[in-house]
Amino acid sequence: MKKCFQFLLLLISTSLFAVEQPNPVKLKSPDGNLEVSFYLKNGIPYYSLNRKNAVVIKESRLGLILTENQSLDKDFKVADIQESAFNETWKPVLGEVSTIQNHYKSVKISLEETSKLKRRLDVVFKVYNDGLGFRYEFPKQANLQFFVISRELTAFNLTGDHKAFWIPGDYDSNEYHYATSKISEVDAWKQPLISKGKLNKNIPDQYAVQTPLMLKTADGLYINIHEAALVNYPAMQLHVDRSNYSLSANLVPDALGNSAYLRAPGNTPWRTIIVSDKATDILASKMILNLNEPSKLANTSWIKPLKYMGVWWEMQIGKSNWNYTFDVDSLSSTGTLIPQGNHGANTANVKRYIDFASKNGIKGLLVEGWNTGWEEWTGNWKENNFDYVTPYPDFNVEEITEYAKQKGVEMIMHNETGGSATNYDRHLDTAFRFMNKYSYKSVKTGYVGQITPRGEHHDGQWMIEHFVRVAEKAAQYQVMVNMHESVRPTGLNRTYPNWIANEAGRGNEWNAFSDGNTPEHETILPFTRLMGGPMDYTPGIFKLRNYASNAPDRQMHTTLAKQLALYVTMYSPLQMAADLPENYEAHQDAFQFIKDVGVDWDDTKILEAEPGDYITIARKEKGKANWFVGAITDENSRQSVIPLNFLDKGRKYTAIVYKDGKDADWKTNPEAYTIEKRIVTSSTKLKLNLAKGGGAAISLIPVQ
Amino acid sequence: MKKCFQFLLLLISTSLFAVEQPNPVKLKSPDGNLEVSFYLKNGIPYYSLNRKNAVVIKESRLGLILTENQSLDKDFKVADIQESAFNETWKPVLGEVSTIQNHYKSVKISLEETSKLKRRLDVVFKVYNDGLGFRYEFPKQANLQFFVISRELTAFNLTGDHKAFWIPGDYDSNEYHYATSKISEVDAWKQPLISKGKLNKNIPDQYAVQTPLMLKTADGLYINIHEAALVNYPAMQLHVDRSNYSLSANLVPDALGNSAYLRAPGNTPWRTIIVSDKATDILASKMILNLNEPSKLANTSWIKPLKYMGVWWEMQIGKSNWNYTFDVDSLSSTGTLIPQGNHGANTANVKRYIDFASKNGIKGLLVEGWNTGWEEWTGNWKENNFDYVTPYPDFNVEEITEYAKQKGVEMIMHNETGGSATNYDRHLDTAFRFMNKYSYKSVKTGYVGQITPRGEHHDGQWMIEHFVRVAEKAAQYQVMVNMHESVRPTGLNRTYPNWIANEAGRGNEWNAFSDGNTPEHETILPFTRLMGGPMDYTPGIFKLRNYASNAPDRQMHTTLAKQLALYVTMYSPLQMAADLPENYEAHQDAFQFIKDVGVDWDDTKILEAEPGDYITIARKEKGKANWFVGAITDENSRQSVIPLNFLDKGRKYTAIVYKDGKDADWKTNPEAYTIEKRIVTSSTKLKLNLAKGGGAAISLIPVQ
């Protein structure tokens, strides 16, 4: 009761005895290196960000435009300012490290309109040592309850023509090649980013880019702009003013052209700026996770990391098909579907994968194309395309469930929606009940194609709500989720730890059916797509040439050793061994690394990194003393010297080094690798020669 | 096997030995009175309709425009013509008569494009004695599988400036006053049709009207235009060319501006033209039901007609509220909602209604406002407004279920969606499971407000599919459905007999909260809204003045006797006794009619009818010898002489006549009525004096 009274007193004091508020409001990070400034100029709110007295973000607008041209961006006065500090550590359920420090200083600036509506808008800044997060909050008030946001004015005015690593602002996809260009050169139509193939392009603004946007200044400062905790709001893209080096928020609209339907009290997601003079700091930052809410799940004991295989790559490369028949109207004289003869998800084939996974200790098995509907699954606005519970006639779900159980393999459910989110929503309970009945503990979802509700986009508010709904519903049924073609993540795996991975970027699969991914692709992804959360990139392809049945010249743009290294450099608690069993059988020695490598970690060291060039990371397996190292390079060969000083002092480790063969080259000789075994300690320095498009993977197991 | 072979031979013969096809194709009704003509002119399809050699519909276009300006309306040749005849009788589960004859002649004209795509379009005509039905069919073919309809060109070119009974072409509502005007005077903005009050107006074309459209020619011919079996297609409105007296199809568009997403093989709904020189024939027509598919439900034994009361009118008139609290954010110090103090759906009040219903043999009780969400239920685009299973704290569902069971009353579920169909879709299974658990056998659904998915309309294809989905899902759970604010019906109660009623028109409730309904309103509805199916009009208001708490001058526009007559003139197997228990207690003698009157019928005689003026109908109760008669008039008083020749010859009946009192008048003396009891036979002629806005109701019970 007493506490309550003091709180009231505090509130009264700030409103009764309002004095002239400081302008600008300034706030420094705990270490003093970063400083955000907020101020009103003629009633219009602005902010800027400095690091060690150098400008990172120049004076930039804040504010929102509501529908019917109502503004929430001017005529403001500062009504109140509340500062606070926060420091705690927390433990992610699955993660790169066992413990995360959440340490920041915060200021809430309460704005009030000077005009007659006197609406209130709060701007909240959280300044971390590694970056700035800020968002808009809408307090409960008489003149603003339900409202619709038309535009967000938030800007990020840069100090120069920085180098940018970017993909175009598609409302429905992140599956592009990354461009590396100056800010002044951003133009979706002038860069070779768009593959022929499966993509429905939807890029209304050729000068807009997706976040996370990775920037590097001429002075060597690394800046990463994204958002955190994207719920109940559309994804933010950035429109690039190429003359002024200014970025401004571009919200993905809905079917009516509006951006967000909100209600006060409420808030936007956090806008994030991570900044450092070391590229490795960007990859090590946990600010986006910290800006998300703690886990909403009371019991998380059922959430486990997972390595898995899939009846999947064989469809990607055209060896078999998802669909059972050619045409849903093709019925035999007895009224049954006529099989097209090349259906991958048949019981015998699935058992073959189960046998292989079981023998090699790969815990999970995904099967795509198991359920009816694949003949007309996407592309025609067909809304009722799947029912999520009816297997094709040659997929015996009872038999497979029983067989997998005997063999100690966990079956992974696949729920492709073809973009028909309304239809999936309607079947969610039924689909999850089916998973519970047949012991599926995780599901891969997919959203290939145009979204239904028609007119909505993958990255609009409606779908953002849908993705969260699926994650929440899955949690009710204790099912882990891996979403493909979803919005790029924003750290929500903290809040929903069962939402263990997303694709939401250009995965390894593009090598199967298109011009593939560039050798530098995987050196950019951790600085962009993965800043928001784990990616189900599906590495581990061993047959690097002659795999695509209809394109004999097609090849991967990595060496085999680099495919191994990706298990460490591309963080995910869900990792696929993506290739066919027969291709692993042909390289059992190299496959040993995939069998050994951890998927959940107590510690992570970003040893070296430069976006677009190289990344080397070491990780310590959760609950064990084992370390694993992955090193990758781009199209250039590279020598990497790795001091193993992260190892326990005085302890001996058996290092198995999987590295590019002497003449390895992603283009001419991708499958050349060597495996070395030696004893190392924390004082060892390992020299690694990475081939063009190459990499190295190392397991470090304490000598017993 | 032999049959199969003959069928093949027939197909071969028509295609191999194609001769010049007749042009026009003509087809007569079984009785020879109606004749449809179909012909191509320069490859463009047309039809016309004659009755006894007089033109009903002049030469009128047929055809469709697909998206991307692909036409399916020209460059046709006739590839095949197949005639057939059909005659059967069938028994509706619930209905106005026990047996319906489905007797027609049919012709299918297969059109094929002469251009290189050679796409095929079939036009099918069914000619009944009482009207014409026709539709487009899309056979399976190589060059037309998935397609999107942009416009339908179907026209109905009238022979003159007919009198029309119409409401405006709102995409989202049928709840308007009816206008009576010449075709040349149709204009939504020039007629006093639109009440202030609850309506979201959405009338993009002021010259468009809803169907069923009732027309009367200068020669006294009655023409009714509507559609049958509206599934997987948007509702058809009619654009009026006021100069040429031409009507053309106006399909309600979706969020993207498209009309219909179809797949071949497939078809459109039937376009219907019912025609007679007797207005009574229009009301007696069963053509729309006949054009619908037979019941899809194997077991219909659980589908029962129902009279019911409701904790409902008291909210409509402002005596109590749906919402429990004022504001969902208003919480007490212990975190519970603060009640606003006037919540209708509280356990004690519900028990009071149960007591009254039980005592008076009213089988059902609807309770609105029982579940959380009513504080923010519609109007703000709030999608997740209801969960359909959480009662307000003062509504004890277990206690009420048990009490109702003891008292022999069936509780009726209420699922208001506030227009958020996506949210309802997601909760359907859960909602129906809840109904099964608590023995709710029927549900009233509601769709007040703008539709989510945003950009969709109540009458667009997406919602049409939604309504059917709800009916199908309800059938799975053996629940009967009564939809409010749904699309106007098209005879689907034949196919889904559990879809027992709809509102989908301007119901009695408008008298509670607006300028009310005109005295002629109920003489038009059977010729318009009810042509498609039963209406939950909610008659039986006894307190005709001084009922609206915030509008003391408000009154009903009928007499009390007319309220009784509506139970017979407005067909529905679900009929509400809409007024408060205390108002029935004040008129126990008149209430006897509501207690007695049937709701399901073996036979129906439309004794006299003129749209806008009067209707008198006699109905024989299902499985009993009792007859009930309802007679209503408009704003004019009227004497009606009713020969009782429909009664069994030589049998004596006790007639109880509930009629307007001598000085009754809807405006000055609405509650004046007298009740007469006498013995009658089939040779009796009853003379009834109907007051202005008055009516009469008669029960005819055989003397034992």
Side-chain angles (χ1 to χ4, degrees):
Chain A
M1 200 53 210
K2 203 178 168 195
K3 227 174 182 175
C4 207
F5 187 64
Q6 286 175 328
F7 178 64
L8 273 174
L9 260 189
L10 173 72
L11 287 182
I12 290 166
S13 69
T14 55
S15 53
L16 282 187
F17 309 107
V19 290
E20 189 69 17
Q21 300 288 0
N23 198 11
V25 182
K26 286 174 179 281
L27 184 72
K28 285 192 173 173
S29 58
D31 66 4
N33 285 339
L34 280 182
E35 184 179 54
V36 66
S37 298
F38 169 91
Y39 45 92
L40 292 176
K41 270 166 73 173
N42 300 321
I44 297 174
Y46 294 88
Y47 81 102
S48 64
L49 179 65
N50 283 17
R51 182 175 182 276
K52 297 180 178 173
N53 295 321
V55 178
V56 178
I57 302 291
K58 298 195 297 182
E59 170 175 299
S60 299
R61 277 290 290 272
L62 295 168
L64 301 151
I65 304 291
L66 311 188
T67 48
E68 291 158 11
N69 280 324
Q70 289 179 69
S71 72
L72 259 183
D73 70 321
K74 55 177 184 274
D75 302 326
F76 282 123
K77 66 176 184 187
V78 173
D80 192 20
I81 296 171
Q82 292 187 12
E83 281 190 30
S84 62
F86 192 80
N87 194 356
E88 65 160 15
T89 57
W90 59 279
K91 290 182 177 297
V93 177
L94 305 174
E96 297 179 86
V97 292
S98 64
T99 303
I100 293 174
Q101 187 183 16
N102 188 7
H103 187 197
Y104 61 83
K105 287 190 183 174
S106 173
V107 60
K108 178 191 284 196
I109 298 135
S110 295
L111 304 176
E112 187 178 302
E113 285 179 314
T114 52
S115 55
K116 65 181 172 189
L117 282 179
K118 296 195 186 308
R119 289 175 304 189
R120 287 167 55 207
L121 174 69
D122 296 348
V123 183
V124 180
F125 294 93
K126 289 186 177 179
V127 196
Y128 290 78
N129 291 340
D130 53 349
L132 170 69
F134 64 93
R135 72 177 184 187
Y136 303 96
E137 297 185 352
F138 311 96
K140 186 169 163 64
Q141 54 192 295
N143 289 327
L144 192 71
Q145 192 190 19
F146 288 96
F147 58 100
V148 183
I149 290 179
S150 173
R151 267 192 318 135
E152 179 177 327
L153 301 181
T154 308
F156 305 85
N157 292 333
L158 306 177
T159 57
D161 194 7
H162 303 336
K163 179 156 111 175
F165 301 85
W166 59 275
I167 52 174
D170 192 309
Y171 287 172
D172 290 283
S173 179
N174 291 268
E175 303 194 20
Y176 287 92
H177 291 299
Y178 280 92
T180 306
S181 80
K182 293 195 168 177
I183 277 289
S184 60
E185 293 160 355
V186 166
D187 182 342
W189 306 135
K190 295 253 171 82
Q191 299 278 347
L193 311 174
I194 302 161
S195 291
K196 280 178 196 160
K198 291 190 170 180
L199 206 59
N200 290 317
K201 289 184 297 293
N202 190 0
I203 308 172
D205 176 0
Q206 72 199 84
Y207 306 119
V209 299
Q210 295 277 14
T211 70
L213 173 67
M214 189 65 218
L215 300 166
K216 187 180 182 185
T217 71
D219 299 336
L221 199 65
Y222 297 88
I223 305 170
N224 185 282
I225 302 180
H226 189 36
E227 61 183 321
L230 173 59
V231 290
N232 194 28
Y233 205 79
M236 175 182 73
Q237 304 182 346
L238 297 172
H239 171 77
V240 177
D241 176 338
R242 305 193 307 167
S243 311
N244 297 307
Y245 318 139
S246 169
L247 314 173
S248 53
N250 216 356
L251 302 179
V252 174
D254 83 335
L256 299 175
N258 297 322
S259 292
Y261 300 82
L262 295 187
R263 180 188 183 284
N267 55 262
T268 68
W270 296 97
R271 281 65 188 90
T272 62
I273 305 164
I274 299 173
V275 55
S276 177
D277 50 12
K278 293 199 205 77
T280 51
D281 285 350
I282 304 292
L283 297 185
S285 173
K286 297 288 169 282
M287 191 184 84
I288 287 176
L289 278 178
N290 278 327
L291 286 167
N292 276 269
E293 297 294 315
S295 173
K296 290 200 173 186
L297 313 186
N299 171 15
T300 57
S301 62
W302 50 277
I303 298 170
K304 308 281 187 196
L306 187 64
K307 256 178 280 181
Y308 74 106
M309 297 188 66
V311 180
W312 175 77
W313 186 251
E314 62 175 76
M315 286 89 97
Q316 296 289 352
I317 60 178
K319 189 168 170 262
S320 67
N321 291 322
W322 283 270
N323 46 310
Y324 174 76
T325 178
F326 285 122
D327 182 337
V328 292
D329 300 323
S330 292
L331 300 175
S332 74
S333 56
T334 57
T336 57
L337 289 171
I338 300 169
Q340 49 86 6
N342 195 20
H343 178 227
N346 66 77
T347 304
N349 194 35
V350 172
K351 282 185 174 178
R352 188 172 68 90
Y353 278 80
I354 291 173
D355 287 342
F356 182 87
S358 174
K359 199 175 77 183
N360 291 282
I362 304 293
K363 193 164 146 201
L365 179 64
L366 168 77
V367 182
E368 296 202 353
W370 69 275
N371 59 327
T372 57
W374 284 91
E375 290 75 16
E376 299 179 348
W377 67 291
T378 193
N380 291 304
W381 287 122
K382 182 171 177 170
E383 186 174 3
N384 299 319
N385 47 3
F386 291 109
D387 75 1
Y388 302 97
V389 295
T390 305
Y392 278 128
D394 60 347
F395 182 91
N396 188 325
V397 64
E398 284 84 4
E399 189 180 335
I400 287 165
T401 303
E402 187 51 39
Y403 193 78
K405 203 169 155 190
Q406 281 171 24
K407 295 279 184 171
V409 170
E410 253 180 43
M411 297 301 293
I412 299 177
M413 174 50 64
H414 185 232
N415 282 176
E416 173 60 46
T417 69
S420 182
T422 47
N423 182 54
Y424 190 40
D425 266 339
R426 295 193 287 263
H427 290 84
L428 269 187
D429 275 296
T430 306
F432 284 118
R433 273 193 206 100
F434 185 89
M435 292 179 222
N436 282 175
K437 181 177 174 188
Y438 291 109
S439 306
Y440 288 81
K441 297 180 180 174
S442 53
V443 59
K444 173 184 172 180
T445 62
Y447 295 88
V448 172
Q450 287 175 293
I451 294 297
T452 302
R454 297 185 185 110
E456 298 294 342
H457 297 291
H458 285 73
D459 291 358
Q461 184 186 23
W462 198 91
M463 283 301 292
I464 301 307
E465 288 280 273
H466 170 85
F467 298 131
V468 171
R469 192 158 56 229
V470 170
E472 286 183 337
K473 183 69 78 176
Q476 284 172 28
Y477 289 90
Q478 299 204 342
V479 170
M480 295 178 282
V481 191
N482 165 26
M483 296 192 195
H484 281 228
E485 298 87 28
S486 55
V487 68
R488 76 284 185 280
T490 56
L492 284 168
N493 51 328
R494 179 181 183 189
T495 311
Y496 303 103
N498 67 311
W499 191 349
I500 54 173
N502 290 272
E503 182 190 44
R506 190 177 172 95
N508 220 6
E509 66 182 19
W510 282 84
N511 289 299
F513 52 70
S514 81
D515 57 342
N517 297 338
T518 61
E520 69 172 8
H521 188 63
E522 296 95 346
T523 70
I524 301 175
L525 277 173
F527 286 97
T528 51
R529 159 63 186 81
L530 276 82
M531 290 301 294
M535 179 170 185
D536 183 29
Y537 187 68
T538 69
I541 300 303
F542 277 14
K543 189 176 170 102
L544 299 160
R545 294 193 281 198
N546 297 314
Y547 50 83
S549 59
N550 62 345
D553 296 340
R554 192 165 293 163
Q555 67 174 104
M556 309 287 289
H557 301 81
T558 74
T559 63
L560 192 147
K562 184 171 176 180
Q563 287 288 322
L564 296 180
L566 295 175
Y567 287 88
V568 183
T569 60
M570 301 283 260
Y571 168 66
S572 177
L574 177 82
Q575 286 283 19
M576 191 177 205
D579 211 338
L580 309 180
E582 51 267 40
N583 296 336
Y584 290 136
E585 271 161 1
H587 301 280
Q588 281 285 2
D589 55 351
F591 189 52
Q592 188 62 43
F593 182 79
I594 300 181
K595 290 158 73 172
D596 291 342
V597 67
V599 276
D600 195 22
W601 312 100
D602 269 337
D603 202 3
T604 284
K605 305 287 182 192
I606 313 294
L607 301 179
E608 48 179 10
E610 179 65 24
D613 293 341
Y614 57 85
I615 293 176
T616 305
I617 297 178
R619 301 192 197 267
K620 181 161 179 280
E621 193 172 0
K622 177 87 103 217
K624 298 195 180 171
N626 307 335
W627 283 81
F628 295 88
V629 177
I632 62 169
T633 183
D634 60 3
E635 69 281 5
N636 300 309
S637 60
R638 177 164 197 273
Q639 193 179 69
S640 183
V641 179
I642 306 173
L644 302 182
N645 52 14
F646 48 81
L647 295 177
D648 287 352
K649 308 285 170 243
R651 199 164 185 181
K652 286 184 179 172
Y653 293 76
T654 304
I656 309 177
V657 184
Y658 303 77
K659 56 184 187 180
D660 292 323
K662 220 170 65 173
D663 307 319
D665 182 300
W666 73 265
K667 190 164 185 63
T668 58
N669 194 18
E671 287 166 22
Y673 61 90
T674 62
I675 302 176
E676 263 181 28
K677 193 181 275 199
R678 53 179 284 198
I679 302 298
V680 297
T681 67
S682 63
S683 55
T684 307
K685 287 186 183 182
L686 281 181
K687 241 181 246 172
L688 299 172
N689 289 307
L690 311 186
K692 293 177 179 175
I698 309 167
S699 62
L700 296 153
I701 318 290
V703 176
Q704 297 303 322
Chain B
M1 199 55 208
K2 204 178 166 193
K3 228 175 182 173
C4 206
F5 188 63
Q6 287 175 330
F7 177 65
L8 273 174
L9 261 190
L10 174 71
L11 287 183
I12 289 166
S13 70
T14 55
S15 51
L16 282 186
F17 309 107
V19 292
E20 189 69 17
Q21 300 288 1
N23 197 9
V25 181
K26 284 173 178 282
L27 183 73
K28 285 192 172 173
S29 59
D31 67 5
N33 285 341
L34 280 182
E35 185 180 53
V36 66
S37 298
F38 170 90
Y39 44 93
L40 293 176
K41 270 166 73 171
N42 300 322
I44 296 173
Y46 294 88
Y47 80 103
S48 65
L49 180 66
N50 283 17
R51 182 175 184 276
K52 295 180 178 174
N53 296 321
V55 177
V56 178
I57 302 292
K58 297 195 297 180
E59 171 174 299
S60 299
R61 279 289 292 272
L62 295 167
L64 301 151
I65 305 291
L66 310 188
T67 47
E68 290 158 11
N69 280 323
Q70 290 179 68
S71 71
L72 259 184
D73 71 320
K74 57 175 184 274
D75 302 327
F76 282 123
K77 67 177 184 188
V78 174
D80 192 21
I81 296 172
Q82 292 189 14
E83 281 192 28
S84 63
F86 192 82
N87 193 355
E88 66 159 16
T89 57
W90 59 279
K91 289 181 178 300
V93 176
L94 306 173
E96 295 179 88
V97 292
S98 64
T99 303
I100 293 174
Q101 188 184 15
N102 188 7
H103 187 199
Y104 62 84
K105 289 189 180 174
S106 174
V107 60
K108 178 192 283 196
I109 297 133
S110 295
L111 304 176
E112 187 179 302
E113 286 179 314
T114 52
S115 55
K116 64 183 174 187
L117 282 179
K118 295 196 186 308
R119 288 174 305 188
R120 288 166 55 206
L121 175 69
D122 296 347
V123 183
V124 180
F125 294 94
K126 290 186 177 180
V127 195
Y128 290 78
N129 290 341
D130 52 348
L132 170 69
F134 63 94
R135 73 177 183 184
Y136 303 96
E137 297 184 354
F138 310 97
K140 186 170 162 65
Q141 54 193 294
N143 290 326
L144 191 72
Q145 191 188 19
F146 288 96
F147 57 102
V148 183
I149 291 179
S150 172
R151 269 197 311 140
E152 179 176 327
L153 301 182
T154 308
F156 305 85
N157 292 334
L158 307 177
T159 57
D161 194 9
H162 304 335
K163 179 155 109 174
F165 301 86
W166 59 274
I167 52 175
D170 192 310
Y171 288 171
D172 290 283
S173 179
N174 291 268
E175 303 194 22
Y176 286 92
H177 291 299
Y178 280 92
T180 305
S181 80
K182 294 195 168 178
I183 277 290
S184 61
E185 295 161 355
V186 166
D187 182 342
W189 306 135
K190 295 254 170 79
Q191 298 279 346
L193 310 173
I194 302 160
S195 291
K196 279 177 196 164
K198 292 191 170 182
L199 207 57
N200 289 317
K201 288 185 298 293
N202 189 0
I203 308 171
D205 176 1
Q206 73 198 84
Y207 306 119
V209 299
Q210 296 276 15
T211 70
L213 173 67
M214 188 66 217
L215 301 166
K216 187 181 183 183
T217 72
D219 300 337
L221 199 66
Y222 297 88
I223 304 170
N224 185 281
I225 302 179
H226 189 35
E227 64 183 319
L230 173 59
V231 290
N232 194 28
Y233 205 78
M236 176 182 73
Q237 303 183 346
L238 297 171
H239 171 77
V240 178
D241 175 340
R242 306 194 304 167
S243 310
N244 298 306
Y245 318 140
S246 169
L247 314 173
S248 53
N250 217 355
L251 302 179
V252 174
D254 83 335
L256 299 176
N258 297 322
S259 291
Y261 300 81
L262 295 186
R263 180 188 183 283
N267 54 262
T268 68
W270 295 97
R271 280 64 189 92
T272 62
I273 306 165
I274 299 171
V275 55
S276 177
D277 49 12
K278 293 200 207 76
T280 53
D281 286 350
I282 305 293
L283 296 186
S285 174
K286 295 289 168 283
M287 191 184 85
I288 287 175
L289 277 178
N290 279 327
L291 286 167
N292 276 270
E293 297 294 315
S295 172
K296 290 200 173 187
L297 313 186
N299 171 15
T300 57
S301 63
W302 51 276
I303 298 170
K304 308 282 188 196
L306 188 62
K307 256 179 279 182
Y308 74 105
M309 296 187 67
V311 180
W312 174 76
W313 187 251
E314 63 176 74
M315 283 89 95
Q316 296 289 351
I317 59 178
K319 189 168 169 266
S320 67
N321 290 322
W322 283 270
N323 46 309
Y324 173 76
T325 178
F326 285 122
D327 181 338
V328 293
D329 302 323
S330 292
L331 300 176
S332 74
S333 58
T334 59
T336 58
L337 290 170
I338 301 168
Q340 49 85 8
N342 196 20
H343 179 228
N346 66 77
T347 304
N349 194 33
V350 172
K351 284 187 172 178
R352 188 173 69 90
Y353 278 81
I354 291 173
D355 287 340
F356 182 86
S358 175
K359 198 174 79 185
N360 290 284
I362 305 292
K363 195 164 143 200
L365 179 64
L366 167 77
V367 182
E368 296 201 355
W370 69 276
N371 58 328
T372 56
W374 284 91
E375 290 76 14
E376 298 179 349
W377 67 291
T378 193
N380 290 305
W381 288 121
K382 181 172 180 171
E383 186 173 5
N384 299 319
N385 47 2
F386 291 109
D387 74 2
Y388 301 98
V389 295
T390 305
Y392 278 128
D394 60 346
F395 183 90
N396 187 325
V397 65
E398 283 84 6
E399 187 179 337
I400 287 166
T401 303
E402 187 51 39
Y403 192 77
K405 203 170 155 189
Q406 282 171 23
K407 295 279 184 171
V409 170
E410 253 180 43
M411 297 303 292
I412 299 177
M413 175 49 65
H414 185 231
N415 281 176
E416 173 61 46
T417 70
S420 181
T422 47
N423 183 54
Y424 191 38
D425 266 340
R426 296 194 286 264
H427 289 84
L428 269 187
D429 276 297
T430 306
F432 284 119
R433 271 192 207 101
F434 185 89
M435 292 178 222
N436 283 175
K437 179 178 175 187
Y438 291 107
S439 307
Y440 288 82
K441 296 179 180 174
S442 53
V443 59
K444 172 183 173 181
T445 63
Y447 295 88
V448 172
Q450 287 176 292
I451 294 297
T452 302
R454 298 184 186 110
E456 299 294 342
H457 296 291
H458 285 74
D459 291 359
Q461 184 187 23
W462 197 91
M463 283 301 292
I464 302 306
E465 289 278 273
H466 170 86
F467 298 132
V468 171
R469 191 158 57 231
V470 170
E472 286 182 337
K473 183 70 79 178
Q476 284 171 28
Y477 288 90
Q478 299 204 343
V479 170
M480 296 179 281
V481 190
N482 165 27
M483 297 192 195
H484 281 228
E485 299 88 26
S486 56
V487 67
R488 73 285 185 280
T490 57
L492 285 168
N493 50 329
R494 181 181 182 191
T495 310
Y496 302 103
N498 66 312
W499 191 348
I500 54 173
N502 290 274
E503 182 191 45
R506 191 179 170 94
N508 219 7
E509 66 182 19
W510 282 84
N511 289 300
F513 52 70
S514 80
D515 58 343
N517 297 337
T518 61
E520 69 173 8
H521 188 63
E522 296 94 347
T523 70
I524 301 175
L525 277 174
F527 287 95
T528 51
R529 159 64 187 77
L530 275 82
M531 290 300 294
M535 179 169 182
D536 183 29
Y537 187 69
T538 69
I541 300 302
F542 278 13
K543 187 175 172 104
L544 299 160
R545 295 193 281 200
N546 296 313
Y547 49 83
S549 59
N550 62 345
D553 295 339
R554 192 166 292 163
Q555 68 173 104
M556 307 288 288
H557 301 82
T558 76
T559 64
L560 191 149
K562 184 171 176 180
Q563 287 289 323
L564 296 179
L566 296 175
Y567 287 88
V568 183
T569 60
M570 300 284 260
Y571 168 66
S572 176
L574 177 82
Q575 287 283 19
M576 190 177 206
D579 211 338
L580 309 179
E582 52 267 40
N583 296 335
Y584 290 134
E585 271 161 359
H587 301 281
Q588 280 286 2
D589 55 352
F591 188 53
Q592 188 62 41
F593 182 80
I594 299 180
K595 291 159 71 171
D596 291 343
V597 66
V599 275
D600 194 22
W601 313 100
D602 271 335
D603 202 3
T604 285
K605 304 286 183 192
I606 313 295
L607 301 178
E608 48 178 10
E610 180 63 24
D613 291 343
Y614 56 85
I615 293 176
T616 305
I617 297 178
R619 303 192 197 265
K620 182 162 178 278
E621 193 173 0
K622 177 85 102 233
K624 298 196 179 170
N626 306 337
W627 284 82
F628 295 88
V629 177
I632 62 169
T633 183
D634 60 2
E635 68 282 4
N636 301 310
S637 60
R638 178 164 193 272
Q639 193 179 70
S640 182
V641 179
I642 305 172
L644 302 182
N645 52 16
F646 49 82
L647 296 177
D648 290 350
K649 307 285 168 245
R651 200 165 186 179
K652 286 185 178 169
Y653 293 78
T654 304
I656 309 177
V657 185
Y658 303 77
K659 55 186 189 180
D660 293 323
K662 221 170 63 172
D663 306 319
D665 181 300
W666 73 266
K667 190 163 183 63
T668 58
N669 194 16
E671 285 165 22
Y673 61 90
T674 63
I675 302 175
E676 264 181 28
K677 193 182 276 196
R678 53 179 285 200
I679 302 298
V680 298
T681 67
S682 63
S683 54
T684 308
K685 289 186 184 183
L686 281 182
K687 241 181 247 172
L688 299 172
N689 289 308
L690 311 185
K692 293 176 180 177
I698 308 167
S699 62
L700 295 153
I701 317 291
V703 175
Q704 298 303 325

